[in-house]
Amino acid sequence: MIVRKIAAQDWITKEMLLIFVILVTLPLWIEQIGLYRYLGVEIVIWMIYGLGFNLLLGYSGLPSFGHGAFFGIGAYAFGLFQLWFFENLWLAIVFAIFASFIAGAAVACFVSHRRGIYFALMTIAFGQIFWFIAIKWHSVTGGEDGLLNIPRAAADFGIFAFDLDSNTELFYFVFIVFVCIVLLLWRLVHSKFGKVLQAIRQNEERARFIGYNVWLFKWVAFTLSAAIAGLAGVLFSMAQQGAYPDVMALHASGIIVMMTLIGGGFVSFWGPVIGVTIYFLARDVLGIITEAWLLWFGLVFVLTVLFKPEGVAGAWQEWRKSRTSTVSGYQTLLQFLSTKKR
Amino acid sequence: MAPIFKASEVHKRFGDHVVLENINLQFKSDCLSGIMGPNGAGKTTCFNVLTGKYKPDRGRIEFQGEDITGLAPHEIARKGISRSFQTMNLFNEFTVLENILIALKEVREHGFDFMHLLARESEVAAKAEKILSLVGLSGKEYHRTSDLAYGDRRSLEIGVALAAEPSLLFLDEPTSGLGAKATTQLLDLIHRLKQKYTIVMIEHDMNFLFELADSISVIHWGQVIAYGTPDTLRDNKWVKQSMLGEGA
């Protein structure tokens, strides 16, 4: 009986399929609603970044305010590999992820001893160090101008290859990466490892006293999250065909925190996906109406933290609880929005 | 018979304040050993030092003949020592079942398993169910921990400690905050646990401890001031003075 109930999580869920369908058809309808295809690329890249970041914030309870550093390291490493060595998409991606992984692993050695405010402050400090290096090391990073003209090499699968020149092609490449990351992270957060991370978030001391090496788990979570941020950085540098220090700045690191919190990363796996969508829609829709859109977005963030810290996903969960009956036509949508971390 | 656990000349200070001074303790297998003393005597600090939360400034701690002085809590836990806490220390967002599962030895040994779900294996779930039954929480597997009644939380606290299959179980003031009925239930539970586990228990409630313990160490002013069976300690002048406030 117990086994049947707790073995309910699968590799693929209805919520997942719903979001995959929405995204895979995005190039077909995004222009119909007055937006543009490149926005889709950007949104999916940041969704990947957000999901990886939430492994740390939502699942492990570790607030990193310096994650932009790993996003930037991925972007720079991807560009440098191709500019210095040779144009090969796969090798450049592997190199960039490895660079972010190593940087994340090094930082994690220090920050994993801490949690709460001290953890946050240390991540800010490390983030600022990497950002400063990116700004000042002109000969390698291009300084404030960044790295320009990073090639967008073709995706060569040996027997066939396809170009990534257009935004639609790039979108589908990014989408495939997104699917892989979702499948991987979904499984990971529901695995024994994921449960231990959640246990550590709830009560680090207890986790330690039942025999878990808390430092090591935090180290692994941080390093994995940094590697995923690096992968998102790779995709961003492909999209922009450049790598810039702005993404490593403190405010850029703060934005991913805001996205994750507004979406409801603390209560839902899909929190970052929702938060990223809200952020980019606010930027591009609200941005048409007012240049001060970030001010309004900031206000929404403040109100969220004050009145609904569980974010949009949390609000949906509450709304669903308060409903006594469910309209069957919306059942799938509601289930998706109320998917709790279990 | 050699003791399963032995602390020799253990000393702990915080700044200028000496909390434990030359503590010597021995706990025998298959017995319930008690530690008692008035508030502020250093009992919980003593537990914290013995289970690795604090490193002793000097002294030696041995478990099953092995020196465990200064080891980290997770290393000590992996050697077979579990503990409960005076202040409730659970995973409040988890269900009751998840609290037990995460503490099981089998799950802990595969903590870095990235692919397999928690307790897909039936034997692991069955083991969790057995522990829940032992601590009287059957039927509450899927209750959120934070929604449990205080007494049930206390039972779960012990259940989590048991899940690791300890060779030695430390219980820190298990009756703390419990009413009369819950205390009676807990007494019954610890009586049952005593048949299977070696237990060390700090307890402020003298009657509770005297009912259960095979031997008791009395700590006061950071030192062990008396040791003996409940019967011999009942009339000890130091015990009377420290616990009952009676003149020696």
Side-chain angles (χ1 to χ4, degrees):
Chain A
M1 182 66 176
I2 285 180
V3 180
R4 193 157 48 81
K5 278 196 177 181
I6 54 187
Q9 304 294 342
D10 297 314
W11 277 95
I12 299 202
T13 64
K14 277 188 279 185
E15 303 85 49
M16 241 183 242
L17 288 176
L18 178 67
I19 202 157
F20 291 164
V21 168
I22 291 171
L23 288 178
V24 82
T25 58
L26 187 136
L28 304 175
W29 51 262
I30 193 163
E31 285 171 349
Q32 316 284 329
I33 58 167
L35 297 171
Y36 50 99
R37 286 184 184 181
Y38 179 77
L39 179 65
V41 175
E42 221 175 347
I43 286 177
V44 180
I45 289 171
W46 280 72
M47 281 176 176
I48 294 169
Y49 183 17
L51 285 167
F53 178 74
N54 202 40
L55 179 67
L56 206 57
L57 182 68
Y59 284 91
S60 314
L62 300 171
S64 170
F65 286 87
H67 241 49
F70 309 111
F71 187 89
I73 287 168
Y76 278 110
F78 178 75
L80 288 171
F81 184 89
Q82 299 203 85
L83 295 173
W84 283 358
F85 303 115
F86 50 89
E87 281 183 34
N88 182 298
L89 183 70
W90 306 121
L91 287 179
I93 289 175
V94 170
F95 177 76
I97 293 173
F98 185 67
S100 308
F101 178 88
I102 293 295
V107 172
C109 286
F110 298 95
V111 300
S112 299
H113 289 290
R114 296 282 175 264
R115 66 178 300 110
I117 186 70
Y118 299 105
F119 180 91
L121 288 173
M122 286 182 83
T123 56
I124 290 174
F126 279 109
Q128 290 295 284
I129 290 169
F130 285 118
W131 172 74
F132 190 76
I133 291 169
I135 291 277
K136 294 293 177 189
W137 201 2
H138 282 263
S139 58
V140 174
T141 63
E144 289 183 24
D145 296 331
L147 282 184
L148 305 174
N149 302 318
I150 294 176
R152 207 190 271 182
D156 189 350
F157 290 93
I159 46 171
F160 68 95
F162 63 89
D163 291 331
L164 299 173
D165 295 334
S166 78
N167 283 332
T168 306
E169 288 160 337
L170 182 62
F171 175 83
Y172 282 112
F173 180 76
V174 171
F175 173 73
I176 290 167
V177 176
F178 173 79
V179 170
C180 296
I181 290 293
V182 165
L183 292 175
L184 181 85
L185 284 177
W186 179 264
R187 194 67 181 181
L188 191 144
V189 301
H190 292 100
S191 70
K192 288 170 186 162
F193 175 75
K195 279 290 177 189
V196 175
L197 290 185
Q198 290 169 54
I200 289 170
R201 184 196 70 218
Q202 293 173 56
N203 195 334
E204 195 170 310
E205 184 179 58
R206 187 52 147 175
R208 198 172 279 127
F209 275 96
I210 55 178
Y212 290 105
N213 183 346
V214 168
W215 180 90
L216 191 58
F217 277 89
K218 284 159 76 172
W219 183 89
V220 172
F222 193 96
T223 307
L224 274 176
S225 180
I228 294 170
L231 173 62
V234 165
L235 299 171
F236 195 65
S237 73
M238 286 172 75
Q240 300 254 310
Q241 295 191 281
Y244 311 101
D246 304 25
V247 293
M248 301 173 81
L250 182 57
H251 81 268
S253 295
I255 283 171
I256 196 67
V257 180
M258 282 170 69
M259 289 171 171
T260 307
L261 285 178
I262 286 180
F266 274 121
V267 296
S268 170
F269 177 82
W270 301 106
V273 171
I274 298 168
V276 166
T277 309
I278 291 172
Y279 175 85
F280 280 101
L281 288 181
R283 190 191 73 178
D284 279 54
V285 177
L286 210 57
I288 296 170
I289 304 164
T290 171
E291 278 184 16
W293 70 272
L294 199 52
L295 175 76
W296 295 105
F297 189 79
L299 194 62
V300 169
F301 177 71
V302 171
L303 292 174
T304 304
V305 171
L306 282 176
F307 299 108
K308 201 70 214 163
E310 301 86 8
V312 175
W316 271 99
Q317 283 172 10
E318 210 165 274
W319 179 75
R320 191 188 173 214
K321 266 187 198 169
S322 69
R323 273 173 64 97
T324 50
S325 62
T326 307
V327 182
S328 60
Y330 295 115
Q331 205 166 4
T332 308
L333 178 64
L334 291 176
Q335 277 176 354
F336 156 61
L337 288 167
S338 63
T339 302
K340 278 186 179 180
K341 283 178 195 156
R342 299 273 305 167
Chain B
M1 186 171 60
I4 186 171
F5 190 97
K6 189 175 168 188
S8 315
E9 308 287 316
V10 171
H11 191 92
K12 182 69 191 171
R13 65 160 66 213
F14 295 107
D16 293 337
H17 183 54
V18 176
V19 186
L20 300 176
E21 195 174 357
N22 292 331
I23 291 279
N24 289 292
L25 292 166
Q26 291 192 0
F27 308 127
K28 290 178 189 160
S29 283
D30 305 319
C31 292
L32 194 150
S33 309
I35 296 176
M36 59 187 270
N39 285 333
K43 305 186 297 291
T44 296
T45 304
C46 179
F47 248 35
N48 287 337
V49 169
L50 300 184
T51 56
K53 184 171 181 177
Y54 304 136
K55 285 184 183 174
D57 296 320
R58 62 167 188 264
R60 181 182 167 92
I61 301 166
E62 285 173 43
F63 175 59
Q64 293 177 328
E66 188 183 348
D67 185 3
I68 59 164
T69 317
L71 290 186
H74 72 273
E75 293 170 312
I76 291 178
R78 281 171 175 266
K79 290 197 182 294
I81 296 177
S82 276
R83 69 167 289 182
S84 74
F85 292 81
Q86 182 183 356
T87 313
M88 222 66 86
N89 219 347
L90 295 163
F91 304 113
N92 287 327
E93 293 169 30
F94 279 172
T95 60
V96 168
L97 177 64
E98 285 171 329
N99 263 277
I100 299 293
L101 286 172
I102 203 79
L104 284 174
K105 205 172 173 182
E106 290 82 354
V107 174
R108 190 182 69 194
E109 296 308 320
H110 298 96
F112 283 100
D113 183 337
F114 292 88
M115 286 297 135
H116 294 98
L117 304 178
L118 185 65
R120 177 74 87 173
E121 306 88 357
S122 56
E123 63 273 20
V124 172
K127 205 166 181 178
E129 203 165 16
K130 207 169 160 188
I131 290 166
L132 287 173
S133 165
L134 180 66
V135 297
L137 289 173
S138 288
K140 294 181 179 171
E141 290 88 351
Y142 299 101
H143 288 213
R144 192 180 153 101
T145 303
S146 56
D147 295 338
L148 288 179
Y150 192 86
D152 284 344
R153 284 168 64 78
R154 188 55 82 187
S155 300
L156 182 57
E157 176 81 31
I158 294 172
V160 170
L162 292 177
E165 296 175 54
S167 305
L168 179 59
L169 175 65
F170 281 82
L171 301 176
D172 190 354
E173 301 231 14
T175 63
S176 176
L178 293 182
K181 190 183 168 196
T183 303
T184 310
Q185 286 170 341
L186 186 69
L187 185 70
D188 178 52
L189 169 62
I190 297 177
H191 259 303
R192 277 183 280 133
L193 295 180
K194 205 181 147 182
Q195 315 304 317
K196 291 175 68 180
Y197 297 95
T198 303
I199 300 174
V200 180
M201 182 166 68
I202 292 180
E203 189 48 61
H204 191 72
D205 182 337
M206 276 178 68
N207 294 330
F208 189 86
L209 191 60
F210 278 37
E211 170 82 25
L212 288 162
D214 298 304
S215 64
I216 296 173
S217 303
V218 183
I219 293 184
H220 201 2
W221 306 293
Q223 295 173 311
V224 179
I225 59 165
Y227 171 81
T229 62
D231 289 339
T232 56
L233 286 175
R234 255 182 245 278
D235 299 322
N236 184 293
K237 65 172 184 174
W238 288 105
V239 175
K240 283 182 177 175
Q241 189 181 24
S242 64
M243 298 304 294
L244 305 172
E246 291 178 13

